[in-house]
Amino acid sequence: MPNFYSIIPPLAAIMGAAITKRIIPSLVLGLLAGTFLQSGGSLLGSVLLAGQTLAGVVSEESHAYIILFLFSFGALAEIFKVGGGISGFAKLTEPYIKTERGALLSVLWASPVTFLDCCFHTIATGAISKPLLEKVDGSKDKLALIVNTTSSQLIALIPFATTYVGYILGVIGSSMAQVGLTGNPYRLYLSAIALNFYSISMLGISFLAIFYSFQFNWLKLAQPAYKPEVGTGDHDSHEAHDEHHYQEKVPPRIANLLLPLIFLLALITYLLWWTGQAKGAASLVEALLNADYEKAIFVATFATLVGTTLLYALQKIPMKELQSHFLSGGTEMLPPIVILTLAWALTGITQQLGFSPFIGSLLGNTLPPQLVPVIVFALGGLASYFMGSSWGTWALIMPLALSLAVTTGANVPLVVGAVLAGGSIGDNLSPLGETPVLTAAVMDIPVTSHISYVLPYGLVAIGTAALLYLALGYALL
C-alpha cells in the first residue's frame, strides 16, 4: 500500500478533534481509519485489528507500568485529601500571612507538598490560600492566576513524581519508536524541560505579579458567555470537581502529608538508582539517566499508596472512606489512560503504514528545519486551546512533531519542548481546560472572568515563547 495513505489516520484524528473538541472519539476515529487501511478495506477486519492493536500496546511491559502508575498516583493524591495534611499546612502558615503578597506566596510555599497532580494542587492550594487572602482582603483574580499557573505550568516542568511525567514519557516513547529514534525517552524529556518556553514564561510573569504587582489593569478582554460542559478537561474528572470542597477526616496533621511524600521521593530516587546501576551504570547520574523510570515510579507509588493507607487506617480513618477515595482517585485518571492507550495504538498503526517515510519524502527537502519548532508550537497551541486538553494535544502532536524533526534535521529536544509548550496553553487559557474551570470553581469566580484576567498574561508568554522558538530554531540547528 502506498505510504501516502499513512497520513490519513493522524489527519482523521486531528480533524475530528478540531470539529468535535473531543480527543477520545477523535483518536478512535484515527485508529479505525488506520486499521481500515491496514486490513485492506474490511470493516470487520479493521475492528478486529483495532482490538488486537490495543491489546498489544496494553500488554507491553513499559506501557503497563505507566497505566498502573497513573491509576495509583491518582488514587494516592485523592487519599491525601482525607489525612489532615492540607489543613495542617494551612494552620502552620496562617500566623505568618499579613499581606496580599504573603497570601499569594503561600501558593508557592505549598507547592513542594502539593505538586503531585494539577488537580490536587489546585484544590489544596485553594483550600490553603483562599482563607488567607480573604483575611488580608486581597485580589481573588490574582490568586486564581497564581493557582492556575502553578497547577498547569509549574507541574509540567517537574521531572519526577507527578502524574504528568508518566504520561509524557508514554507519549515521547511511542513517538520515538514511530520515527525510529533510539535512546532513553526520559533523557529526551529532561533535555526538553528547559525548552518549554511557554510554561517558563508564564511562571516568570506570575512571579512578577506577586513581587512587583505586574498586571494588566488597562486591558479587559471580552469573553463570550460560556458554561463549561461535562467532560472537556484532561482528566474528565467529575467536571469541575464537585468534590473540591472536600473535608479532611482527622485533625490537622501536616505529618500525614509530609511523611508519605518524603517516603515517595526517597523511594523513587533509590529505585531509579537501583534499576540504572543494574544496567552497568558507573555513576549515580548515569544510573538515574538510564533507569527503568516506568518501573521505578510505579513501584514507589504503589508502595507509598499501601503505606499511606495503613498510616491513615491506624489513625481511625474508616477503611470504607479510604477505599472510596482510592477508587475515585484512580477513576479520575481513566480518561488520560484511555487517551494514552489510543495514542500508542494510533502511532503504531501509522508507523506500519509508512508515516515517517512519507513525511520525509514530502517535507524533508522543502520545510526549513529552523521553522519546525515555532510551527509545532503554533499547531499545539491552537489544538490545545480549542480542545482544552494538554494531554490530548501532546498525544496528537508529538508523533507528527518528531517526524518533522527527524526528516528535516531540526533540533529534537527543542521540538519536544515546543510540543510540551504548545500543549500547555489550553490547560492554562482555554475555557474548556480543566485547570481554569477547576480554579474558578475553587476561587468562587466565573470561568469567563478568570479567563479574561489570565489571557493577557498568556498572550505575552505566547509571544515570548514564539520568538524564542524562532530564534533558537536557527541557533541550535
Side-chain angles (χ1 to χ4, degrees):
M1 183 176 295
N3 62 15
F4 65 83
Y5 284 359
S6 64
I7 199 173
I8 294 177
L11 187 62
I14 292 172
M15 291 182 63
I19 294 171
T20 67
K21 299 181 175 59
R22 304 280 179 168
I23 183 61
I24 291 178
S26 302
L27 288 172
V28 171
L29 176 63
L31 175 61
L32 290 176
T35 55
F36 182 78
L37 295 172
Q38 187 77 351
S39 63
S42 167
L43 288 175
L44 179 59
S46 67
V47 174
L48 292 175
L49 181 57
Q52 293 172 6
T53 304
L54 289 169
V57 298
V58 170
S59 62
E60 186 174 328
E61 184 178 8
S62 62
H63 293 172
Y65 278 130
I66 291 174
I67 290 171
L68 291 170
F69 160 74
L70 288 172
F71 187 94
S72 300
F73 217 96
L76 179 63
E78 190 70 17
I79 285 177
F80 277 154
K81 293 178 181 179
V82 297
I86 299 303
S87 57
F89 188 92
K91 185 177 180 180
L92 180 68
T93 58
E94 185 176 3
Y96 304 99
I97 305 301
K98 307 295 183 183
T99 64
E100 179 188 67
R101 179 179 297 177
L104 298 176
L105 282 172
S106 67
V107 178
L108 302 182
W109 295 344
S111 294
V113 294
T114 61
F115 70 92
L116 305 178
D117 176 70
C118 59
C119 297
F120 176 67
H121 177 83
T122 301
I123 296 170
T125 54
I128 293 169
S129 303
K130 184 182 172 184
L132 300 176
L133 184 83
E134 292 173 344
K135 186 177 74 172
V136 298
D137 195 26
S139 168
K140 275 189 178 182
D141 286 323
K142 188 177 289 188
L143 178 59
L145 166 70
I146 307 304
V147 170
N148 180 337
T149 302
T150 53
S151 297
S152 60
Q153 308 306 311
L154 175 61
I155 295 176
L157 298 173
I158 299 174
F160 56 89
T162 74
T163 49
Y164 280 69
V165 172
Y167 183 89
I168 291 172
L169 283 180
V171 171
I172 291 177
S174 64
S175 301
M176 289 175 65
Q178 175 178 329
V179 301
L181 269 179
T182 58
N184 189 317
Y186 187 55
R187 189 189 293 265
L188 177 57
Y189 173 47
L190 289 177
S191 67
I193 287 176
L195 302 173
N196 182 347
F197 297 130
Y198 176 78
S199 296
I200 294 172
S201 298
M202 275 303 295
L203 285 172
I205 291 171
S206 298
F207 293 153
L208 289 176
I210 294 174
F211 291 103
Y212 300 102
S213 299
F214 174 72
Q215 58 185 339
F216 290 92
N217 285 331
W218 51 273
L219 181 57
K220 291 290 185 182
L221 298 182
Q223 293 287 324
Y226 174 78
K227 181 178 180 180
E229 296 180 30
V230 172
T232 55
D234 286 338
H235 297 179
D236 198 20
S237 51
H238 316 300
E239 303 295 329
H241 277 257
D242 292 333
E243 72 277 16
H244 72 265
H245 294 298
Y246 67 89
Q247 295 183 358
E248 295 173 314
K249 303 300 179 181
V250 298
R253 293 174 182 167
I254 192 171
N256 278 358
L257 184 60
L258 289 181
L259 290 179
L261 186 60
I262 292 171
F263 178 78
L264 173 65
L265 297 178
L267 188 55
I268 286 178
T269 303
Y270 172 76
L271 290 174
L272 288 175
W273 168 82
W274 185 74
T275 57
Q277 63 86 30
K279 298 180 179 179
S283 66
L284 174 62
V285 173
E286 186 179 350
L288 295 178
L289 290 176
N290 290 281
D292 290 331
Y293 197 88
E294 299 91 347
K295 179 189 293 185
I297 58 176
F298 165 65
V299 173
T301 301
F302 183 72
T304 305
L305 180 60
V306 173
T308 303
T309 302
L310 292 175
L311 175 66
Y312 290 2
L314 290 174
Q315 298 175 35
K316 309 299 183 182
I317 298 177
M319 188 59 69
K320 180 180 179 181
E321 189 75 28
L322 294 173
Q323 176 179 290
S324 174
H325 280 76
F326 169 84
L327 292 174
S328 62
T331 302
E332 281 187 14
M333 300 307 299
L334 286 180
I337 289 172
V338 172
I339 291 171
L340 190 55
T341 302
L342 289 170
W344 284 329
L346 178 60
T347 54
I349 287 295
T350 55
Q351 180 185 17
Q352 294 173 23
L353 291 172
F355 179 76
S356 295
F358 171 71
I359 292 295
S361 64
L362 180 67
L363 299 174
N365 298 320
T366 58
L367 181 65
Q370 299 91 338
L371 298 181
V372 171
V374 71
I375 290 174
V376 165
F377 173 66
L379 288 175
L382 288 172
S384 66
Y385 182 83
F386 288 108
M387 287 193 300
S389 171
S390 57
W391 298 38
T393 301
W394 294 332
L396 281 180
I397 303 298
M398 189 70 75
L400 174 62
L402 282 184
S403 292
L404 289 176
V406 170
T407 56
T408 63
N411 183 279
V412 173
L414 185 62
V415 170
V416 173
V419 174
L420 298 177
S424 298
I425 291 174
D427 208 24
N428 189 211
L429 303 179
S430 173
L432 294 169
E434 183 179 47
T435 302
V437 172
L438 181 56
T439 300
V442 169
M443 299 306 301
D444 293 325
I445 58 178
V447 175
T448 52
S449 174
H450 174 55
I451 295 296
S452 180
Y453 187 88
V454 175
L455 190 55
Y457 297 89
L459 292 175
V460 172
I462 289 171
T464 301
L467 290 174
L468 286 171
Y469 286 122
L470 186 61
L472 290 181
Y474 285 90
L476 298 181
L477 187 64

